[in-house]
Amino acid sequence: MSDVIKLLPDAVANQIAAGEVIQRPASAVKELLENAIDAGAENIKLIIKDAGKTLIQVTDDGAGMSDTDARLCFERHATSKINQASDLFAIRTMGFRGEALASIAAIAKVELKTRTADQQIGTHIEIEASKLEKQQPCNCPKGTSIAVKNLFFNTPARRNFLKSDNVEKRHILTELQRIAIVHPEIEFQYYQNNQLSHQFHKSNLKQRIAHVFGSNYNQRLIPVEEETQILRLNGFVGKPEYAKKVRGEQFFFVNKRFIRSPYLNHAVELAFHELIPDDAFPSFFLFLETDPGQIDVNVHPTKTEIKFQDERYFYQIVKSAVKKALGSFNITPTLDFDRETAFDLPDQQGMRTVKPPEIKVNPEFNPFGHSKKSAHAGGNLSSRINPGQWEKLFPGKEDIPHPGDLKQHEQVTISPDWQDNTEVKNGTKFVQLHNRYIITPVKSGLMLIDQQRAHERILFEKFQMMQEHKTATSQQLLFPEHIRLNDQDADILKEILKEVGSLGFGVSELGHGTFVVDAIPADMMEDYVLQDVIEGIIEQVKKNRLELKQDLRTNVLRSTAKKLAVRHGKALTYEEMKALCDSLFACSMPQASPTGKTILKIISNEDLSAMFK
Ligand code: ADP
Ligand code: MG
């Protein structure tokens, strides 16, 4: 057999490398911004068209390149940042692998204009699919401007893999944010389709965080400072009460490089332990500086994963520094999200005298089959089942409890307070436990209902119906409210405006992250804080998007139901409990929440009598 191995032509090798380095427009944005920073720029302009699919341009006022360098920078492994292997352990720049520009030029058409301070005339280069098309002198300001056009034009698989413009834009914004918050000393301007969409003026770190994530961050941050012989840690953590239900604003930078480190994240989360609910995530913006020899950033082509020489040491320092910061701000572990532990008896209601249940059994009876059928038949939720009659859906069984046992129980004297004055017309009764569960007797035993999940289910089906029949009912607000969101949240709200509108919200955009709300769903709780409600819905949409991959409409529906549902911890009146149960059993799926969690459990009469054997 003849020889079959050959060296790949450069253009092909570059395209393969591009597959690792440039996964989407946002990756090109990151590389270009990092190059501008490495070049010492003070002002950086990012221009995007069509979510980066047609144009990504970065213009800086940094060092610029000579005409030879301008040509060389598109070669693979062409870098000014390291000379020899040992330099790898002293890297202070963002780039050093020398593959970004070569990769980008392999899969797009690139136009470069650059000039150094000591040259009069700059260089203009055009290169497409790794092929040099043009090189000529040009007039241009000091610095560099690189325009990347038609990214992935010759790699259709990659192009087809791109997500919607909104998703790609979100990735781009995320990259810009990560870079902007670690370089508050640099001014950034971000244009989308010829419009200025973000501008971050030179400022200090705290102000920059507020510029990037919303001015309300000003009051939300606690400073963190620590210095040891090996590292310097500074930055901010969010106050515990602002912890989010989804892993959101968590930023770790090591030597100004954004990194992902579940291990260090864990250190921060541990410091927050008992200050926030188990399922919430703290926000943090932490900056670690250390001797580059302590870390290896060369582990991953996009350089977001690094290795530490002594990871456990860093872990300890991060944890204790954050703890100290939280402690010095007087945040003691008394913020208790599970405050209510008393057994709450609703006013005027008690328990009724123990009575033998009436036993009428139909062994074929399937409660959920029945309720589903009625759901299809009925248009209006409450007409599906006669409210209050749902108790019949849970019939007792013939053999339990043992009638003899119950006779004995009847003879037990019960204090008068607990006696029969609590009987209500339809014979059901409700007790709230820990402000979390509703307990109610049914024929087959004792039913426990999770109040929050139950309400989620009710709202979900109601919203579903409203969307299907386009019958959203709203209440107009007498005084429309303004809400302000950070950029990412604002983008999401814009995306879901129509969906939230169909649920009864009247929201319109005023620009720059501000929205005005002039109507809310007709039966929203009274003690709402609008900013909270909207942010909560957005959080939930983000979370569902990550976890459930469902379509936007269902996502918004679920998210809104979740956000508007009564919380655990809320005391309910007897009437509210009754209404909740009635509505729940008018639902087509009363047994599970919209995300599939159990809503109710029954402790059977059998189990009950076994308990008292
Ligand atoms: P790396 O950043 O890893 O060195 P790149 O492919 O990103 O590799 O860039 C190659 C080289 O081109 C850089 O080392 C730098 O010398 C030069 N370069 C790229 N962008 C700029 C810029 N905006 N200003 C000045 N020089 C640049
Ligand atoms: Mg680079």
Side-chain angles (χ1 to χ4, degrees), residues 362-514:
N362 169 6
E364 302 302 323
F365 185 68
N366 169 355
F368 297 126
H370 179 101
S371 74
K372 262 198 190 119
K373 205 161 119 214
S374 49
H376 291 305
N380 175 326
L381 269 180
S382 52
S383 70
R384 288 175 187 170
I385 301 178
N386 191 0
Q389 296 305 299
W390 50 267
E391 198 194 6
K392 296 208 179 85
L393 298 175
F394 299 89
K397 286 194 200 130
E398 212 155 23
D399 52 347
I400 48 103
H402 196 275
D405 288 343
L406 283 161
K407 283 247 170 61
Q408 284 172 18
H409 285 198
E410 257 190 318
Q411 286 147 21
V412 176
T413 28
I414 296 174
S415 103
D417 302 359
W418 292 71
Q419 269 174 13
D420 220 358
N421 55 359
T422 61
E423 186 75 60
V424 283
K425 274 185 235 114
N426 57 19
T428 56
K429 41 198 66 325
F430 310 95
V431 173
Q432 198 183 20
L433 176 63
H434 300 334
N435 283 351
R436 187 180 180 114
Y437 306 105
I438 299 169
I439 305 182
T440 183
V442 289
K443 291 199 176 106
S444 60
L446 192 62
M447 178 151 63
L448 290 107
I449 298 169
D450 181 306
Q451 64 186 44
Q452 183 172 341
R453 292 179 186 174
H455 198 205
E456 247 174 85
R457 163 56 60 188
I458 295 164
L459 290 174
F460 179 75
E461 294 203 5
K462 190 175 149 195
F463 288 153
Q464 223 172 15
M465 191 100 73
M466 285 180 356
Q467 281 196 334
E468 264 163 41
H469 300 104
K470 301 209 167 37
T471 53
T473 42
S474 321
Q475 38 178 326
Q476 289 296 319
L477 294 178
L478 206 50
F479 303 102
E481 276 187 46
H482 285 84
I483 53 168
R484 227 190 103 62
L485 298 175
N486 67 40
D487 299 329
Q488 207 185 20
D489 286 359
D491 282 349
I492 293 179
L493 184 56
K494 278 187 250 171
E495 236 181 287
I496 62 174
L497 272 186
K498 200 172 120 223
E499 278 73 21
V500 291
S502 70
L503 303 178
F505 283 99
V507 188
S508 32
E509 194 198 347
L510 294 182
H512 300 291
T514 310

Side-chain angles (χ1 to χ4, degrees), residues 233-244:
L233 175 70
N234 75 316
F236 295 93
V237 291
K239 290 183 183 162
E241 60 264 41
Y242 297 109
K244 302 211 167 170

Side-chain angles (χ1 to χ4, degrees), residues 31-41 58-66 69-70 72-82 93-104 112-116 143-146 303:
E31 295 296 338
L32 295 178
L33 291 176
E34 287 187 348
N35 280 347
I37 287 165
D38 285 345
V58 172
T59 304
D60 68 56
D61 59 355
M65 285 180 262
S66 70
D69 281 356
L72 257 183
C73 72
F74 294 108
E75 294 298 323
R76 200 139 65 99
H77 307 309
T79 177
S80 55
K81 299 167 195 174
I82 53 173
T93 49
M94 294 293 115
F96 58 88
R97 297 168 66 112
E99 23 177 42
L101 290 184
S103 301
I104 294 172
L112 162 75
K113 283 185 182 164
T114 186
R115 182 169 76 76
T116 59
T144 304
S145 174
I146 298 186
K303 302 177 249 101

Side-chain angles (χ1 to χ4, degrees), residues 310-327:
D310 187 356
E311 215 169 13
R312 282 165 50 202
Y313 176 80
F314 284 87
Y315 183 98
Q316 277 305 331
I317 301 289
V318 167
K319 191 182 100 190
S320 62
V322 173
K323 261 202 149 142
K324 195 171 91 187
L326 290 169

